[in-house]
Amino acid sequence: MSLGLIPQEVITQIRERADIVDVVSNYVSLSKAGQNLKGLCPFHSEKTPSFNVSPARQIFHCFGCGTGGNVITFLMKMEGASFPDTVRELGRRIGIAVPADSGAVTTSDSRARERLEHINGQAASWFRANLRASEHGSRARRYLADRGIDDSTIEAFGLGVALPSWDGLIQALTRDGISLADMAAAGLVAAKDQARRAPDAGGYYGRFRGRVMFPITDLRKRVVAFGGRILGEGEPKYLNSPETALFSKGRVLYALDRAREAVGRDGRLIIVEGYFDAIALHQAGMTNVVATLGTALTSDHLAIIRRFTNKVVLLFDPDAAGVRASLRSLDLFVDSGVGVTVISLPEGQDPDTFVRCHGSESFKRLHDQAPSLVEFAVEHSLRGGTSRSIEDRIRSVDEILRILQKTSHRIEKEEYMRVVAERLGISQQRLIERYAEVSPKRPPATRQPANRGESPEGRPPAMPEEWDLAYLLIQGQVSGAQVAALRSDCFSDAACRRIVEIALRHVDRDGRVMLRALLDEGLADAECHMAVTELSMSERHFDDPAAYIDGCLEALERKRRDRMLSELIRRLRAAEQEGRVEDARVLNAEVNALRVTKAGSIPVRSS
Ligand SMILES: [Zn+2]
């Protein structure tokens, strides 16, 4: 991690002024739990909150996946941004200016990302300018008007048009001093030999030609890719940017940057399948809408969604493909803790046409009456069945039963079974028998108890004194005299040893560890940052911490001497075997000396 050229005092000032609770709340809904706040972890999938934020210490830690850190690390992980970018962005939010030229030393990775963002930004302006000015632009403007998209929406979503020429964009970007290789890296041009009929364009040709262009922005509102809808007839109807360093279509939800605020207010996120559907709903005042980019929902999408809400509304086409899509997403959502309802529009209508014909009020009514995803999936599986026998009807929902048995949530499972039984018109008992049949047989040996003798935080109990001492250090319970007796080389666990090393560098005049400095340095340290946040958030009780610490120190010292002794003995044996008489004599004396002190007491005692 490069610190760039941002002065350390500016970083400290920003970190101290930014409240981690405010920042995290933009991504995770938090509720009070004792001195801390708790929520569902945005970095792993879970149903019960193990993600903790400490307002007092200004750090976060997840007991589920071990992720932790301060406000800057949180934002870096969340936005996938570099350290200097994150500091600058955070500074902007809270009104602390970071000198413009600072942070110029970034990793080559983030420089490459910035370059691609710049190229995409230039391309987006060119597409927009075409829409306003060119002859081809007037055709696109007519097309957009026919689809009911008004000028302010065109402006807001930055829509544009790619001219039909093979090299128009190449010429425009070349004038901006952008190389063909960079254009190719941004996915805007393709090498000619891949094209079947590309006229000469310097070895490359523009990927998007004769299309209405939708810039795809990330949460920071930077253009990461484009989607293009062909003007008139032609294939493919929709074309997206290829995967680039900035863009992976399975990880992006179109318009999420514009929807996130409304999702925060409304609590629900509506997911549609196309650019026009999303834009039409936004234009109609429903701004909690995003679109997938022609892919099924992925677990990466789910991870993003969970940062903002646990209530999702899906809009499917009521055709066979729509039902298959609903089954696939049932599989994805079933054990995710995200509640999903489904809006299906009348045959032959999409959100775009529906809102235009019936208005947004009718859409909101559909929204409020939407069945759960399970109900929707069952309904549609049954509709496909031709036979009337109950067994056949159950068989048609076997696929759903197979998915439902993945949920580890008992109440949810029972609720789903009730829905399925009701819809089939059979008893739950009957269904449960069937359910047992479709469940894969699992050997009992693979079912392990959740707790395998580990501490509640999943820490192996191998070095209890080391972890307890590190915990008490971070909790500020170790006295000056005890700190003076700490030796980092007594610690065999790398993370604990590093915490002690850092603590010993930050001792005040009374010999006590300065906690803020320990936390700051510990959080920035690759070796121990996870342990630091975990130990900060843990709550453990010791009847007499001072006496316990003395006990731990003694135990560690004993272990250190044991280790030294066995090492000396090992070397002594080797020396004897190899006939190094003088070495053996010296080593033998050292072994005896150590044996004597080992028998005695350890001179360190706190008052
Ligand atoms: Zn986690």
Side-chain angles (χ1 to χ4, degrees):
M1 181 174 67
S2 161
L3 293 188
L5 297 174
I6 303 176
Q8 185 57 47
E9 55 283 11
V10 177
I11 297 172
T12 309
Q13 199 190 0
I14 289 172
R15 203 192 50 223
E16 284 173 357
R17 192 90 75 74
D19 182 15
I20 193 166
V21 176
D22 286 348
V23 171
V24 172
S25 299
N26 286 326
Y27 303 88
V28 179
S29 81
L30 295 170
S31 51
K32 201 109 178 75
Q35 294 186 338
N36 296 338
L37 294 112
K38 260 189 172 193
L40 291 170
C41 179
F43 304 115
H44 85 283
S45 179
E46 63 175 3
K47 292 187 87 168
T48 42
S50 43
F51 179 82
N52 287 259
V53 179
S54 161
R57 292 165 186 271
Q58 290 291 308
I59 58 175
F60 72 96
H61 180 79
C62 172
F63 287 107
C65 65
T67 311
N70 61 21
V71 64
I72 295 171
T73 11
F74 177 83
L75 280 173
M76 284 171 68
K77 281 186 201 301
M78 217 59 211
E79 304 281 1
S82 68
F83 182 83
D85 279 354
T86 305
V87 171
R88 218 172 292 130
E89 177 77 26
L90 189 56
R92 253 200 300 278
R93 283 197 217 177
I94 58 173
I96 296 177
V98 175
D101 62 343
S102 66
V105 180
T106 56
T107 61
S108 62
D109 212 34
S110 76
R111 252 204 309 266
R113 287 177 63 98
E114 275 168 24
R115 195 162 64 235
L116 293 187
E117 284 167 359
H118 170 71
I119 297 167
N120 284 334
Q122 295 298 101
S125 335
W126 191 70
F127 294 140
R128 278 200 308 272
N130 288 339
L131 182 64
R132 279 194 299 269
S134 69
E135 193 193 317
H136 204 72
S138 68
R139 188 173 166 209
R141 286 199 303 278
R142 271 197 310 279
Y143 172 76
L144 289 168
D146 285 347
R147 296 207 61 160
I149 307 296
D150 63 33
D151 287 349
S152 61
T153 306
I154 290 174
E155 184 77 19
F157 282 85
L159 305 189
V161 66
L163 302 181
S165 79
W166 292 85
D167 64 349
L169 178 65
I170 293 176
Q171 287 178 10
L173 292 183
T174 306
R175 277 195 297 276
D176 290 336
I178 294 165
S179 73
L180 280 162
D182 280 350
M183 294 178 213
L188 290 165
V189 301
K192 202 164 121 185
D193 51 85
Q194 288 162 18
R196 282 185 299 265
R197 52 188 180 88
D200 184 46
Y204 288 88
Y205 65 97
R207 184 181 298 272
F208 299 101
R209 300 176 306 278
R211 289 174 184 271
V212 171
M213 297 300 291
F214 302 86
I216 299 164
T217 44
D218 65 7
L219 286 170
R220 293 176 297 152
K221 298 197 177 289
R222 292 183 213 181
V223 181
V224 294
F226 292 91
R229 163 68 162 86
I230 198 135
L231 269 173
E233 297 305 309
E235 288 295 326
K237 208 152 132 193
Y238 285 92
L239 180 68
N240 287 331
S241 295
E243 307 269 309
T244 67
L246 288 182
F247 174 63
S248 163
K249 66 181 174 181
R251 288 196 202 136
V252 172
L253 291 164
Y254 178 67
L256 183 58
D257 55 319
R258 311 185 62 82
R260 61 192 290 182
E261 242 186 81
V263 173
R265 276 196 309 273
D266 184 83
R268 289 180 290 194
L269 174 72
I270 302 178
I271 303 176
V272 297
E273 287 179 325
Y275 301 107
F276 276 114
D277 292 341
I279 291 177
L281 291 172
H282 274 259
Q283 185 173 288
M286 278 162 288
T287 51
N288 56 332
V289 179
V290 298
T292 51
L293 303 174
T295 58
L297 283 166
T298 65
S299 53
D300 286 328
H301 284 138
L302 178 61
I304 297 165
I305 291 166
R306 299 161 57 95
R307 295 188 209 161
F308 300 98
T309 183
N310 56 11
K311 283 194 201 114
V312 164
V313 182
L314 300 176
L315 242 104
F316 284 121
D317 289 341
D319 56 12
V323 175
R324 271 199 306 280
S326 81
L327 276 175
R328 267 202 310 270
S329 51
L330 180 60
D331 208 356
L332 178 68
F333 282 112
V334 73
D335 201 20
S336 68
V338 175
V340 188
T341 52
V342 179
I343 294 181
S344 42
L345 296 169
E347 204 77 48
Q349 299 223 317
D350 54 36
D352 175 18
T353 53
F354 184 86
V355 175
R356 275 196 282 156
C357 296
H358 305 278
S360 57
E361 279 312 307
S362 311
F363 186 84
K364 281 184 185 135
R365 263 198 302 283
L366 283 180
H367 194 286
D368 293 334
Q369 295 159 359
S372 75
L373 180 56
V374 173
E375 289 169 311
F376 178 85
V378 171
E379 184 68 32
H380 281 265
S381 303
L382 290 178
R383 207 177 280 174
T386 46
S387 169
R388 295 187 173 259
S389 90
I390 286 180
E391 275 313 307
D392 280 345
R393 298 174 73 197
I394 296 183
R395 208 163 293 132
S396 64
V397 295
D398 274 358
E399 181 56 26
I400 294 168
L401 292 179
R402 218 167 270 127
I403 294 170
L404 290 189
Q405 46 127 345
K406 286 185 192 166
T407 177
S408 54
H409 199 282
R410 196 174 51 81
I411 295 171
E412 193 175 271
K413 200 183 263 182
E414 281 173 15
E415 173 62 16
Y416 288 154
M417 296 297 269
R418 189 188 59 73
V419 169
V420 177
E422 219 170 79
R423 189 57 193 81
L424 286 170
I426 61 169
S427 72
Q428 280 193 52
Q429 190 49 44
R430 181 100 183 249
L431 193 63
I432 287 164
E433 285 159 18
R434 177 73 194 177
Y435 182 81
E437 283 172 38
V438 298
S439 300
K441 303 288 174 281
R442 201 178 301 170
T446 63
R447 292 200 142 266
Q448 286 183 340
N451 192 328
R452 295 184 296 273
E454 292 179 356
S455 70
E457 287 85 41
R459 181 70 58 198
M463 306 292 166
E465 306 94 354
E466 296 188 14
W467 283 94
D468 288 345
L469 270 178
Y471 169 78
L472 290 160
L473 254 183
I474 282 177
Q475 301 288 338
Q477 306 228 34
V478 182
S479 74
Q482 289 167 328
V483 170
L486 272 175
R487 301 180 52 145
S488 60
D489 62 352
C490 286
F491 288 74
S492 55
D493 182 280
C496 292
R497 186 167 56 238
R498 183 57 61 84
I499 288 172
V500 173
E501 280 167 9
I502 294 170
L504 292 178
R505 280 205 289 274
H506 298 286
V507 173
D508 66 14
R509 264 190 285 164
D510 299 329
R512 293 184 72 100
V513 173
M514 296 183 283
L515 291 183
R516 191 68 250 175
L518 169 59
L519 269 187
D520 286 348
E521 200 176 327
L523 287 177
D525 190 286
E527 189 99 65
C528 68
H529 68 102
M530 278 169 78
V532 168
T533 55
E534 177 183 329
L535 294 170
S536 297
M537 293 289 186
S538 302
E539 282 174 36
R540 285 191 245 162
H541 176 75
F542 298 92
D543 281 333
D544 183 352
Y548 183 73
I549 292 166
D550 284 338
C552 288
L553 287 170
E554 283 176 24
L556 285 185
E557 180 60 20
R558 231 176 359 254
K559 283 187 182 175
R560 188 182 69 89
R561 289 185 190 205
D562 285 347
R563 277 200 302 275
M564 271 172 65
L565 192 59
S566 40
E567 172 61 16
L568 281 174
I569 291 171
R570 190 190 61 74
R571 283 165 54 197
L572 174 61
R573 297 249 163 82
E576 284 170 350
Q577 266 168 15
E578 292 157 19
R580 288 181 279 118
V581 178
E582 179 55 20
D583 285 353
R585 194 191 59 77
V586 173
L587 285 164
N588 195 35
E590 284 179 26
V591 167
N592 286 332
L594 195 62
R595 279 198 172 124
V596 171
T597 52
K598 190 173 174 319
S601 72
I602 290 148
V604 182
R605 276 268 159 211
S606 68
S607 50

